[in-house]
Amino acid sequence: MTITSAEFVISNTDFRRCPQADMPEVAFIGRSNVGKSSLINYLTGKKDLAKTSSKPGKTLLINHFLINGKFHLVDLPGYGFAKVSKTQREKLRKIIEDYIMFRPQLTNLFVLLDSRLEPQQIDLDFMEWLGQSGIPFSIVFTKSDKQTKGKLMQNIDQYKSKLYETWETLPPIFITSSEKKEGGTEILDYIGKIV
Ligand code: GTP
Ligand code: MG
């Protein structure tokens, strides 16, 4: 699919105040700084649509963007950011969890993983929770430009092996670089099939 229009709709801390429209939506989640907002900007071709930062903890709200007047893309706050107070971290956890659990429009959650890192327990636990809660999700490895192709494939193979320890089948897997604008077509085609 091709994105012809993308506009910001609303930011929220509360899933109850998210757009009420009966439209499907896909959301982007993952650890703080993994590249969620950058991926949304790359996919929509609008470099300042979602706010990005080199410092973790930039996105603190649930942000809805209307795409082609037909469905929503959702930018979520990151999880697992250590440098905030326990209270703030708990607040963010609740915002994210409530949105995921109580948002019937949510059609697919893209879980972003930094392609440079070995499997992180926090991400494995999060995907385990999604599985137990019956939330449909896919995996996106980000920042593929930050290492050689060989190292990238090695990391991803290692990740898959780790996932096969607990999962019988794996969800769709995408590999992207928002910097180099790679891997987006596959994600858009996938979204086109599910919204
Ligand atoms: P929070 O909102 O804080 O949870 O972070 P986020 O997941 O939205 O990350 P964001 O998109 O703000 O990106 C974090 C940093 O990583 C920024 O400095 C981006 O420029 C950089 N970044 C994101 N994607 C890529 C990528 O594909 N390649 C490279 N080289 N850098 C990237
Ligand atoms: Mg962000």
Side-chain angles (χ1 to χ4, degrees):
M1 69 160 293
T2 313
I3 293 186
T4 49
S5 71
E7 22 180 304
F8 170 73
V9 183
I10 195 168
S11 291
N12 269 300
T13 53
D14 188 341
F15 71 94
R16 281 166 290 233
R17 288 205 288 270
C18 289
Q20 287 307 307
D22 188 16
M23 280 180 193
E25 64 194 41
V26 296
F28 296 83
I29 187 77
R31 286 200 306 151
S32 206
N33 206 242
V34 71
K36 302 173 290 295
S37 304
S38 303
L39 182 60
I40 288 180
N41 292 343
Y42 160 41
L43 293 176
T44 56
K46 286 190 156 181
K47 67 178 173 45
D48 296 319
L49 188 64
K51 303 241 171 10
T52 67
S53 166
S54 56
K55 290 200 203 98
K58 180 65 181 175
T59 311
L60 297 172
L61 301 166
I62 304 167
N63 299 284
H64 274 74
F65 302 97
L66 180 64
I67 309 299
N68 297 354
K70 196 179 152 231
F71 68 94
H72 288 112
L73 282 188
V74 183
D75 191 15
L76 293 170
Y79 55 74
F81 178 36
K83 287 192 193 134
V84 291
S85 70
K86 212 174 155 194
T87 329
Q88 172 73 356
R89 209 161 49 229
E90 190 52 30
K91 231 164 79 184
L92 280 176
R93 191 186 63 77
K94 179 112 180 78
I95 292 171
I96 296 168
E97 281 190 13
D98 282 356
Y99 166 80
I100 292 172
M101 292 300 286
F102 303 119
R103 185 71 178 160
Q105 289 93 333
L106 181 62
T107 306
N108 180 71
L109 193 59
F110 287 102
V111 177
L112 275 60
L113 304 169
D114 189 326
S115 64
R116 295 169 299 176
L117 304 181
E118 58 186 40
Q120 306 283 303
Q121 197 58 45
I122 189 167
D123 295 318
L124 296 168
D125 291 347
F126 182 74
M127 288 186 276
E128 187 71 30
W129 173 72
L130 290 178
Q132 281 164 7
S133 312
I135 307 293
F137 71 97
S138 331
I139 292 175
V140 179
F141 287 101
T142 63
K143 308 193 185 185
S144 66
D145 59 283
K146 287 211 164 193
Q147 60 195 320
T148 63
K149 189 97 187 158
K151 182 76 185 139
L152 172 70
M153 293 334 280
Q154 192 185 328
N155 280 355
I156 289 171
D157 281 347
Q158 191 190 357
Y159 218 112
K160 283 185 183 167
S161 308
K162 184 75 190 170
L163 289 169
Y164 273 125
E165 287 175 15
T166 39
W167 296 82
E168 226 163 86
T169 52
L170 299 189
I173 292 178
F174 302 94
I175 304 170
T176 61
S177 165
S178 301
E179 180 79 21
K180 291 262 161 65
K181 303 197 184 338
E182 288 171 0
T185 314
E186 288 80 1
I187 294 186
L188 288 176
D189 286 347
Y190 181 67
I191 294 174
K193 284 190 203 133
I194 58 172
V195 296

